[in-house]
């Protein structure tokens, strides 16, 4: 077996704001594996400034993987424990290699175009006018769940946007989720959660910065609206520490980004632990290209999810590769009449 990797820069159609700053590009890597019979591709979705494997030796580790690709999968995954995005890229590439169709990693009604995955519409931070226009666009596009990034502009302005939605749509018509990306200070967080709860919010993601387990535990106990841990999960590799986190904080939900938590195996571990404690969860992409998003969507569908998932990021880039993935009426669908724009030599030809 042989393996190579290739770096690729995804360009946002428009600068996208979060409480961590403005995103204009997204760096990613493609992993190609081959043997004498077949070839496969996976995406190592590094997220600068967020991934725990945003390290100077990232490409060095990818090169090590390529040199050792002939070794057992479990050995490779264990050696990549501190590089969750590379773990996920390897899982994808091996599934792709062993599939009759390199892009059908999990055969299902989803990949056959017979069923869809409900998703939320993502509202990026910006001016009040910009955010309001995004909200109108998402509602017009048929979304019934909207996720709004908050924490970067004036909090009262953000509340007024939520209020404007609730004037026209009640909680049965539109589900509202908010994502603070750790923007609130612990001392002010509970008061802000109380003010947000006036607008029948489904949940808030990561209200305070990660690593403050006791403060987050108090928030989860006293909160008037459900809290979902997101960044809190990043960088926790040991199953005992994962269990300790969930037992200590006892959140209402956790959010799983496979590229950030160890791919399929890592996500499955978090799901098993959450189910033990009756903690809800859903899956979210982490701004991967359509290669990674395709893998996440197929994996997610096979989990028999019912909540809307966070998988609507494929249309954010100007130079994403075309795929059968389509967002229609607030759901992610697989249009079997559409083909990947990649020839038989693999995606490397497209990237060149």
């Amino acid at each position: 077996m042989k393996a190579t990797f290739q770096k690729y820069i995804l360009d946002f159609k428009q600068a996208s704001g979060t409480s961590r700053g403005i995103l204009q590009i997204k760096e990613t890597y493609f992993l190609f594996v081959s043997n004498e019979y077949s070839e496969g591709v996976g995406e190592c979705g590094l997220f600068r400034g967020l991934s725990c494997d945003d390290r100077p030796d990232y490409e060095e580790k990818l090169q090590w993987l390529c040199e050792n690709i002939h070794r057992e999968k479990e050995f490779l995954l264990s050696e990549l424990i501190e590089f969750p995005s590379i773990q996920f890229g390897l899982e994808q590439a091996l599934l792709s290699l062993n599939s009759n169709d390199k892009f059908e990693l999990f055969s299902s009604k989803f990949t056959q175009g017979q069923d869809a995955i409900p998703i939320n519409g993502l509202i990026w931070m910006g001016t009040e006018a910009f955010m309001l226009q995004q909200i109108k666009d998402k509602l017009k596009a048929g979304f019934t769940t909207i996720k709004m990034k908050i924490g970067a502009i004036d909090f009262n302005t953000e509340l007024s946007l939520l209020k404007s939605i609730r004037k026209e749509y009640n909680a049965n018509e539109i589900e509202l989720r908010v994502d603070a990306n750790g923007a609130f200070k612990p001392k002010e967080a509970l008061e802000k959660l109380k003010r947000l709860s006036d607008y029948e919010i489904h949940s808030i993601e990561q209200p305070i910065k990660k690593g403050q387990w006791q403060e987050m535990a108090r928030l989860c106990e006293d909160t008037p609206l459900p809290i979902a841990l997101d960044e809190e999960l990043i960088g926790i590799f040991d199953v005992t520490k994962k269990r300790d986190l969930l037992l200590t904080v006892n959140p209402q939900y956790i959010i799983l980004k496979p590229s950030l938590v160890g791919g399929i195996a890592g996500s499955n571990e978090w799901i098993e632990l959450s189910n033990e404690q009756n903690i809800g969860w859903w899956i979210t992409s982490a701004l991967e290209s359509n290669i990674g998003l395709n893998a996440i969507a197929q994996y997610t569908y096979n989990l028999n999810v019912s909540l809307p998932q966070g998988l609507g990021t494929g249309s954010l880039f100007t130079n994403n590769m075309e795929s059968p993935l389509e967002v229609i009426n607030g759901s992610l669908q697989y249009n079997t009449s559409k083909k990947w724009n990649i020839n038989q030599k693999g995606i490397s030809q497209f990237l060149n």
Side-chain angles (χ1 to χ4, degrees):
M1 191 183 296
K2 297 179 181 179
T4 60
F5 70 90
Q6 203 165 355
K7 184 177 178 178
Y8 189 60
I9 304 297
L10 292 158
D11 298 313
F12 279 88
K13 291 178 180 176
Q14 57 188 25
S16 301
T18 76
S19 60
R20 287 188 295 267
I22 304 297
L23 302 174
Q24 295 180 316
I25 62 168
K26 170 64 169 62
E27 190 175 337
T28 198
Y29 290 82
F30 295 108
L31 176 68
F32 310 100
V33 296
S34 63
N35 56 28
E36 57 184 312
Y37 307 107
S38 184
E39 59 184 9
V41 60
E43 180 172 359
C44 304
L46 176 67
F47 199 132
R48 294 289 182 194
L50 182 59
S51 298
C52 65
D53 49 13
D54 178 10
R55 297 167 32 165
D57 58 344
Y58 189 86
E59 290 193 9
E60 183 181 319
K61 200 66 177 181
L62 271 171
Q63 185 58 44
W64 174 89
L65 172 60
C66 292
E67 292 169 358
N68 289 273
I69 194 66
H70 59 281
R71 305 189 69 169
E72 289 185 358
K73 173 186 172 183
E74 294 310 315
F75 168 78
L76 295 174
L77 290 175
S78 67
E79 290 294 306
L80 294 167
I81 190 69
E82 295 183 5
F83 294 83
S85 64
I86 302 180
Q87 285 183 314
F88 188 34
L90 174 62
E91 288 176 322
Q92 293 172 55
L94 294 178
L95 284 168
S96 175
L97 178 72
N98 294 313
S99 175
N100 292 329
D101 176 343
K102 73 179 67 173
F103 298 111
E104 187 175 23
L105 310 186
F106 298 90
S107 181
S108 67
K109 287 185 177 181
F110 174 72
T111 56
Q112 293 160 16
Q114 299 173 6
D115 202 0
I117 303 170
I119 62 174
N120 59 239
L122 183 58
I123 307 301
W124 292 96
M125 290 175 177
T127 63
E128 182 178 4
F130 172 63
M131 294 179 76
L132 187 58
Q133 185 57 53
Q134 290 181 83
I135 292 167
K136 289 178 179 177
D137 291 344
K138 295 299 181 187
L139 296 176
K140 187 176 179 181
F143 284 91
T144 57
T145 299
I146 289 176
K147 171 182 164 180
M148 193 170 100
K149 296 275 188 179
I150 63 172
I153 64 174
D154 177 66
F155 185 62
N156 287 324
T157 300
E158 291 168 341
L159 290 177
S160 72
L161 287 169
L162 294 169
K163 184 178 181 180
S164 68
I165 298 174
R166 280 290 172 249
K167 274 186 177 178
E168 294 190 47
Y169 304 95
N170 63 39
N172 291 323
E173 295 170 311
I174 297 294
E175 180 177 279
L176 292 176
R177 300 174 177 176
V178 293
D179 182 2
N181 286 128
F184 299 164
K185 294 180 174 62
K187 290 183 179 179
E188 68 183 19
L190 185 58
E191 179 58 32
K192 288 191 171 182
L193 295 186
K194 288 177 180 176
R195 295 183 68 188
L196 285 165
S197 68
D198 292 338
Y199 304 104
E200 298 179 277
I201 305 298
H202 170 271
S203 56
I204 180 169
E205 296 181 30
Q206 202 67 40
I208 63 175
K209 283 186 171 63
K210 62 178 288 188
Q212 305 175 88
W213 287 18
Q214 298 303 324
E215 288 88 346
M216 188 70 88
R218 283 193 288 271
L219 269 184
C220 289
E221 185 175 5
D222 298 335
T223 183
L225 59 92
I227 290 175
L229 302 187
D230 183 0
E231 289 91 339
E232 202 73 63
L233 312 185
I234 298 171
I236 300 180
F237 311 119
D238 180 71
V239 66
T240 301
K241 192 171 182 182
K242 291 178 181 180
R243 182 178 281 109
D244 287 345
L245 169 64
L246 297 182
L247 286 171
T248 300
V249 177
N250 195 26
Q252 286 76 28
Y253 294 102
I254 63 169
I255 295 170
L256 299 168
K257 294 181 170 73
S259 292
L260 303 183
V261 300
I264 294 167
S267 297
N268 286 344
E269 198 166 72
W270 278 111
I271 289 170
E272 184 176 345
L273 292 171
S274 296
N275 289 343
E276 288 176 4
Q277 289 183 230
N278 294 316
I279 294 170
W281 51 268
W282 64 85
I283 310 289
T284 302
S285 55
L287 303 179
E288 295 86 357
S289 78
N290 279 335
I291 297 293
L293 180 60
N294 178 60
I296 296 170
Q298 292 185 34
Y299 162 67
T300 300
Y301 181 82
N302 277 19
L303 294 172
N304 297 315
V305 296
S306 56
L307 289 174
Q309 309 293 298
L311 305 177
T313 56
S315 61
L316 295 175
F317 308 110
T318 60
N319 58 340
N320 208 344
M321 54 290 304
E322 293 181 14
S323 79
L325 297 171
E326 292 182 337
V327 176
I328 300 175
N329 292 327
S331 66
L332 185 66
Q333 304 183 16
Y334 203 86
N335 185 346
T336 55
S337 67
K338 290 181 66 176
K339 305 299 179 185
W340 291 84
N341 66 346
I342 298 162
N343 63 30
Q344 291 183 346
K345 292 183 178 179
I347 196 170
S348 56
Q349 185 73 21
F350 168 79
L351 296 177
N352 291 332

